[in-house]
Amino acid sequence: MTIIVRYLKLSYNYVTVEESFLGFLNVDDTSGKGLFDITLEELKSFGLEIDDMRGQDDNGANMKGKHQGVQKRFLDINPRAFYTPCGCHSLNLTLCDMVNKCVKGKNFFGFIQRIYTIIANSTKRWEILKDNVKVWSLKSMCQTRWESRVESVKAIKMQLVDVREALLQVGEKDNDAAIARLLRNDFLKAIDKAKNIAIEMGIDQIFPQKRLIERKTKGIEDKDLKSSCHRLEKALKFEERSDIDAEELYTELKLFETLETNEFSNLIDVLKFLKELDYFLNASIAYRISLTIPVTVTSAERSFSKLKLLKSYLRSTMSQERLSGLAMISIENEILESIDYEDLLNQLAIKNARRASLISISISTL
């Protein structure tokens, strides 16, 4: 299991959202309670208070469980630690369900997967494919990752003639009825079907003009704005105290509307502007919380990709401490580049005088 912490770095005129890797955790008990206990222990070891937690994010069943999951156990301690499902995973699942409801889409992607399955079932067939296809290799589709479908279609779309030639050669050598049926009934008619679908949908080179959406220029109505402020105060309330005051937040937002400001491209620009004024305290807290709440688990997924590179079959006996240390060096390399190695080695030499000569040699070679 990996832990990523999302936070804001603030100064007078500087605001940035940071995500830091804390390490990999060896987990034996993968139940909601087991994951919660080890996560809580790890956060305490770093001196991080659960009371300061304002967001949590993961799509695993044992993490998002409403009754016994990790998110429920954190909410029991701190109700302000809002749980947000991973936006990327939710979008992928939505797209997959949409395609499964569309017969033409389902048949299309099923046809793409059949081509990959026929070639991948034999090493000899894969060698034939490699002899014909030089740029993009065929890719299998993943049920929960929409990007895999893009890569699968791209490999065939950009090399249609080469893939067809590979299938013809495989069919001649293997005398496989499935391949012959694929070429005769499906592959040769794929282009004609695509053209017919485009004609049926009326697709041409001129894009229709989108309907203009009329937007309110006066912002949210006062009643709705005040109601939203009170709901936010209630959500951020714990043990009879809240992070914000609803009435003060409402006053600050109404005052912010009267200021002559330029259009802001994102929340960070808004928060930076509020900090420079220094009297929008409640609004600044609300924006800080919205920026702190995680949206996706992309950083955690990337750390697992780094794990595959670090712990290979040649390093299978690596200790947990060494693994986390190497991962920290690799993932947080920007911090590593800012470290003064000479000062670090001198501190190590002071702690152990017997290593002084060795350390002095290391400094000279660097």
Side-chain angles (χ1 to χ4, degrees):
M1 185 174 72
T2 182
I3 296 182
I4 306 290
V5 176
R6 182 183 175 95
Y7 58 94
L8 295 181
K9 291 182 68 175
L10 305 173
S11 64
Y12 176 71
N13 58 353
Y14 178 80
V15 177
T16 182
V17 181
E18 299 284 346
E19 290 186 344
S20 296
F21 170 77
L22 297 186
F24 292 117
L25 304 181
N26 187 17
V27 179
D28 296 323
D29 184 3
T30 58
S31 65
K33 184 179 185 307
L35 294 176
F36 170 75
D37 291 339
I38 193 171
T39 303
L40 184 62
E41 182 180 352
E42 187 72 9
L43 293 176
K44 288 182 177 180
S45 67
F46 283 102
L48 300 175
E49 297 293 337
I50 304 302
D51 190 54
D52 296 331
M53 187 175 174
R54 292 296 181 273
Q56 48 178 322
D57 181 23
D58 196 285
N59 265 35
N62 46 7
M63 302 290 288
K64 68 178 182 180
K66 296 182 179 180
H67 304 288
Q68 301 294 330
V70 175
Q71 65 108 352
K72 176 61 169 59
R73 298 176 186 275
F74 273 119
L75 289 173
D76 289 340
I77 300 176
N78 180 11
R80 296 170 294 183
F82 305 116
Y83 170 74
T84 306
C86 177
C88 293
H89 285 160
S90 299
L91 179 59
N92 278 327
L93 294 174
T94 301
L95 291 173
C96 291
D97 288 341
M98 289 172 60
V99 171
N100 289 331
K101 296 298 182 182
C102 175
V103 177
K104 291 182 179 180
K106 188 175 182 179
N107 292 338
F108 172 76
F109 287 114
F111 171 67
I112 298 295
Q113 183 64 24
R114 282 173 61 193
I115 296 177
Y116 172 82
T117 303
I118 288 174
I119 298 295
N121 278 345
S122 169
T123 56
K124 293 181 179 180
R125 295 177 182 178
W126 196 261
E127 288 297 326
I128 294 175
L129 177 71
K130 290 170 61 177
D131 292 338
N132 289 274
V133 175
K134 302 298 183 182
V135 184
W136 293 285
S137 179
L138 298 186
K139 303 288 185 181
S140 178
M141 289 186 295
C142 176
Q143 293 297 324
T144 59
R145 197 165 58 88
W146 181 258
E147 184 183 1
S148 67
R149 286 169 166 76
V150 177
E151 297 298 326
S152 300
V153 175
K154 179 181 177 182
I156 297 178
K157 175 186 176 183
M158 305 303 293
Q159 307 166 126
L160 189 61
V161 177
D162 297 333
V163 173
R164 180 175 180 271
E165 181 62 29
L167 287 172
L168 286 171
Q169 293 181 17
V170 169
E172 292 174 358
K173 292 187 176 182
D174 288 6
N175 195 22
D176 194 321
I179 300 176
R181 188 166 56 253
L182 176 69
L183 292 171
R184 183 176 62 254
N185 299 330
D186 295 323
F187 198 83
L188 296 178
K189 298 179 181 179
I191 298 178
D192 293 334
K193 286 185 177 180
K195 290 180 180 179
N196 293 332
I197 292 173
I199 294 173
E200 292 176 5
M201 297 178 65
I203 298 175
D204 52 26
Q205 297 180 358
I206 301 175
F207 291 95
Q209 184 178 3
K210 294 183 179 180
R211 180 177 64 86
L212 298 178
I213 301 176
E214 297 181 0
R215 302 184 183 277
K216 296 180 180 180
T217 57
K218 295 183 180 180
I220 303 174
E221 296 294 337
D222 289 354
K223 183 178 180 181
D224 295 335
L225 178 60
K226 182 172 289 188
S227 175
S228 299
C229 292
H230 281 281
R231 288 199 301 270
L232 182 59
E233 179 188 26
K234 183 179 180 181
L236 295 173
K237 189 174 183 180
F238 181 55
E239 294 182 350
E240 302 303 321
R241 59 187 179 89
S242 179
D243 293 337
I244 63 171
D245 182 273
E247 293 297 330
E248 293 181 2
L249 177 61
Y250 170 76
T251 303
E252 292 175 7
L253 293 178
K254 293 299 294 181
L255 177 60
F256 182 71
E257 285 185 354
T258 63
L259 299 178
E260 295 182 359
T261 60
N262 298 324
E263 293 290 335
F264 297 108
S265 59
N266 52 57
L267 295 181
I268 295 179
D269 292 339
V270 178
L271 181 57
K272 187 186 300 183
F273 179 78
L274 295 178
K275 283 188 61 62
E276 291 176 355
L277 299 178
D278 202 29
Y279 50 81
F280 289 91
L281 300 180
N282 290 272
S284 296
I285 293 174
Y287 275 104
R288 285 166 56 188
I289 292 175
S290 64
L291 287 170
T292 303
I293 296 176
V295 180
T296 70
V297 293
T298 305
S299 297
E301 299 290 349
R302 287 175 179 172
S303 69
F304 284 128
S305 299
K306 188 67 66 175
L307 174 63
K308 294 179 182 179
L309 299 176
L310 292 174
K311 195 166 185 178
S312 62
Y313 72 96
L314 295 175
R315 295 173 172 173
S316 58
T317 59
M318 187 187 308
S319 66
Q320 185 68 28
E321 183 179 0
R322 178 178 175 81
L323 176 62
S324 293
L326 291 176
M328 184 75 71
I329 292 174
S330 180
I331 296 173
E332 304 292 347
N333 54 2
E334 293 182 0
I335 300 176
L336 184 66
E337 292 175 356
S338 63
I339 295 177
D340 186 351
Y341 293 103
E342 184 173 350
D343 182 54
L344 183 64
L345 293 173
N346 286 334
Q347 292 181 17
L348 182 61
I350 294 173
K351 293 181 179 179
N352 192 342
R354 291 178 298 176
R355 298 181 182 177
S357 59
L358 175 61
I359 292 173
S360 63
I361 295 175
S362 300
I363 293 174
S364 63
T365 56
L366 288 175

